[in-house]
């Protein structure tokens, strides 16, 4: 191989590495934007972050395509939290902190996987007139995302958002004395107008139950040796 060929090969490798860095930043921005839109109950914007065949896994249910995603965020969340209006809403708090991201871009740069941690504070000020039934007035929540992303028409979008609630705690009681107010889905749409299109084969029990959240990436030091692959 000539020196020119070596330079071309090295340049192609560098371009690919820079491209992956740009992909990482774009995916991080995509997921962080999701968190901000969720904070302010701007669910039309949330739906548009998903690929056409994107899906959400939430409370052991799978919401498929833009129709399913909109059923979760608009038909359920928006009607429940803000009576159908886009936020922000007086006296209503739903702040997500998105952090600790590990993103892996595929070699062909067409798909990627990402793991994020979320910590949430939610509830309502005592002066708010509307109080959603069954929602604690002050609560904490934490969860882990293991997501898939896809480049659609040159833009990174969410292919599969899998949010696994890890714990919930009413502010006054703390996590030691709280059972999660969110429970696994048991009925699908249309029998349940707010339900998912499909249920996971085995339901994920919520706090105080704990369950493993499989990692999409190999151990940084031990590599594949850790999980035997």
């Amino acid at each position: 191989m000539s020196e020119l060929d070596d330079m071309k090969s090295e340049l192609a490798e560098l371009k690919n590495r820079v491209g992956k860095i740009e992909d990482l930043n774009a995916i991080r921005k995509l997921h962080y934007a999701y968190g901000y839109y969720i904070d302010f109950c701007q669910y039309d914007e949330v739906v548009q972050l998903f690929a056409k065949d994107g899906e959400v896994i939430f409370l052991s249910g799978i919401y498929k395509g833009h129709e399913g995603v909109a059923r979760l965020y608009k038909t359920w969340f928006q009607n429940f939290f803000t009576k159908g209006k886009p936020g922000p809403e007086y006296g209503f708090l739903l702040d997500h902190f998105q952090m600790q991201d590990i993103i892996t871009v595929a070699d062909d740069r067409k798909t990627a996987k990402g793991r994020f941690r979320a910590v949430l504070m939610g509830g309502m000020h005592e002066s708010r007139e509307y109080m959603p039934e069954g929602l604690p007035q002050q609560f904490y929540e934490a969860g882990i995302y293991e997501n898939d992303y896809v480049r659609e028409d040159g833009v990174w979008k969410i292919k599969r958002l899998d949010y696994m609630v890890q714990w919930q705690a009413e502010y006054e009681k703390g996590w030691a004395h709280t059972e999660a107010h969110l429970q696994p889905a048991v009925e699908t749409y249309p029998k349940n107008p707010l339900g998912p299109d499909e249920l996971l084969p085995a339901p994920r029990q919520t706090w105080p139950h704990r369950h493993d959240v499989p990692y999409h990436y190999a151990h940084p030091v031990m590599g594949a040796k850790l999980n035997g692959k």
Side-chain angles (χ1 to χ4, degrees), residues 148-159:
D148 293 333
Y149 302 90
V150 64
R151 194 192 299 274
E152 186 177 82
D153 299 326
V155 179
W156 282 106
K157 296 182 181 180
I158 302 170
K159 171 73 172 181

Side-chain angles (χ1 to χ4, degrees), residues 5 11 22 24 35 38 53 62 70 84 87 135 170 182 198 211 220:
D5 289 334
L11 179 60
E22 292 176 341
L24 289 173
I38 289 289
D53 60 348
I62 307 174
L135 187 70
E170 294 186 33
L182 292 176
E198 184 180 329
H211 52 81

Side-chain angles (χ1 to χ4, degrees), residues 18 26-27 30 39 85-86 93 101 107 111-112 140 188 207 211 227:
V18 170
I27 293 166
L30 171 66
D39 287 349
K85 297 180 291 183
L93 177 70
D101 50 282
D107 289 338
T111 61
Y140 292 114
T188 57
W207 180 253
H211 52 81
N227 50 27

Side-chain angles (χ1 to χ4, degrees), residues 116-119 141-145 163-167:
F116 293 80
R117 183 183 299 278
V119 177
E141 179 180 309
I144 293 176
Y145 296 90
Y163 177 61
M164 288 158 270
V165 178
Q166 292 299 295
W167 56 267

